[in-house]
């Protein structure tokens, strides 16, 4: 019995030694770590081949410089418009557009003809940089309280817009025309001022009106506007 017991103990010791040796070999094969690598949260996901990129906030990164300037006239007669058709104009010169704060406005003398009253609306570049105007001005006759007199001026059909470059001190003009009330019989009012808005701008310039009554309703009461051209219209 003693002999058998010693044999069992030697067998168990040999088995334990073998298991320990195998465990040591396995640990060496894993670089000494003895366990599988762990996944780490927050690491970059694999590339998917999608051409669009995102910034750190997770929003799509879109190239800048894709804005457009609106030249639409939306019923406000004092809104300037860059497009002869009343649509939206996108121009490579949008970055050099003259802003209201860089301009002065005036109304030139009447050049009547064939029953028409014709006045040049003049914008002059008072800034120290070169800028451009293109398309129609916005215009509205107002009384002393600032209330508009008459309907919105209409844009003269067939006008072709051209970009007018204004160096400091240079001017551009657009025609404002209406039928003589004395001939047309239209109802009239005498404005205190004319509000003028440069193309594609929202802020207007106020010009004192010194040219008497204008048609505001009735027959042939429409006031019409032409696109800007270089000069003062004199």
């Amino acid at each position: 019995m003693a002999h058998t017991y010693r044999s069992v103990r030697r067998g168990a010791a040999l088995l334990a030694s073998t298991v320990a040796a195998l465990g040591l070999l396995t640990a060496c094969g894993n670089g000494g770590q003895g366990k599988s690598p762990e996944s780490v949260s927050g690491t970059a996901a694999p590339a998917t081949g999608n051409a669009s990129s995102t910034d750190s906030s997770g929003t799509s990164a879109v190239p800048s410089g894709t804005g457009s300037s609106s030249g639409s006239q939306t019923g406000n007669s004092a809104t300037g418009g860059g497009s002869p058709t009343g649509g939206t104009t996108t121009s490579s010169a949008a970055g050099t557009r003259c802003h209201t704060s860089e301009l002065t406005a005036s109304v030139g003398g009447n050049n009547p003809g064939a029953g028409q009253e014709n006045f040049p609306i003049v914008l002059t570049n008072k800034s120290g940089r070169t800028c451009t105007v293109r398309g129609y001005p916005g215009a509205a006759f107002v009384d002393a309280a600032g209330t508009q007199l008459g309907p919105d001026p209409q844009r003269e059909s067939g006008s072709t817009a051209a970009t007018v470059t204004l160096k400091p001190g240079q001017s551009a003009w657009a025609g404002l025309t209406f039928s003589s009330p004395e001939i047309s019989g239209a109802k009239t009012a005498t404005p205190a001022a004319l509000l003028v808005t440069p193309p594609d701008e929202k802020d207007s310039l106020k010009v004192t009106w010194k040219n008497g009554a204008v048609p505001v309703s009735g027959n042939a009461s429409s006031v019409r506007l032409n696109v800007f051209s270089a000069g003062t219209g004199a």
Side-chain angles (χ1 to χ4, degrees):
M1 288 291 295
H3 177 73
T4 301
Y5 178 73
R6 285 195 298 270
S7 296
V8 170
R9 288 187 62 185
R10 283 198 301 270
L14 180 59
L15 178 61
S17 176
T18 300
V19 170
L22 289 174
L24 180 60
L25 289 174
T26 301
C28 291
N30 285 335
Q33 299 298 320
K35 59 181 179 179
S36 301
E38 295 179 0
S39 60
V40 180
S41 63
T43 57
T48 61
N50 192 331
S52 63
S53 60
T54 57
D55 61 19
S56 59
S57 65
T59 59
S60 178
V62 180
S64 61
T66 58
S68 64
S69 61
S70 175
S72 60
Q73 190 170 20
T74 58
N76 181 354
S77 61
T79 301
S83 170
T85 60
T88 299
T89 298
T90 302
S91 171
S92 59
T96 62
R97 185 179 79 241
C98 297
H99 300 295
T100 302
S101 61
E102 299 174 307
L103 300 166
T104 60
S106 61
V107 177
N110 187 15
N111 183 24
Q116 299 288 317
E117 310 295 329
N118 305 297
F119 298 91
I121 297 175
V122 182
L123 294 180
T124 301
N125 181 6
K126 68 175 184 178
S127 75
R129 74 180 184 103
T130 297
C131 59
T132 62
V133 294
R134 178 185 175 89
Y136 295 91
F141 290 113
V142 296
D143 62 17
T147 302
Q148 182 175 330
L149 301 174
D152 292 350
Q154 298 177 0
R155 294 176 177 182
E156 195 70 70
S157 61
S159 296
T160 301
T163 299
V164 181
T165 300
L166 301 179
K167 295 180 180 180
Q170 291 185 331
S171 301
W173 71 282
L176 181 149
T177 302
F178 53 84
S179 297
S180 173
E182 295 179 357
I183 297 175
S184 68
K187 295 181 180 180
T188 65
T190 301
L194 177 68
L195 300 182
V196 178
T197 310
D200 297 316
E201 291 290 296
K202 294 182 179 179
D203 296 327
S204 61
L205 299 165
K206 188 175 183 179
V207 182
T208 300
W209 182 256
K210 302 178 180 179
N211 298 286
V214 301
V216 294
S217 65
N219 296 332
S221 61
S222 296
V223 177
R224 296 178 298 280
L225 295 169
N226 283 298
V227 295
F228 276 103
S229 301
T232 62

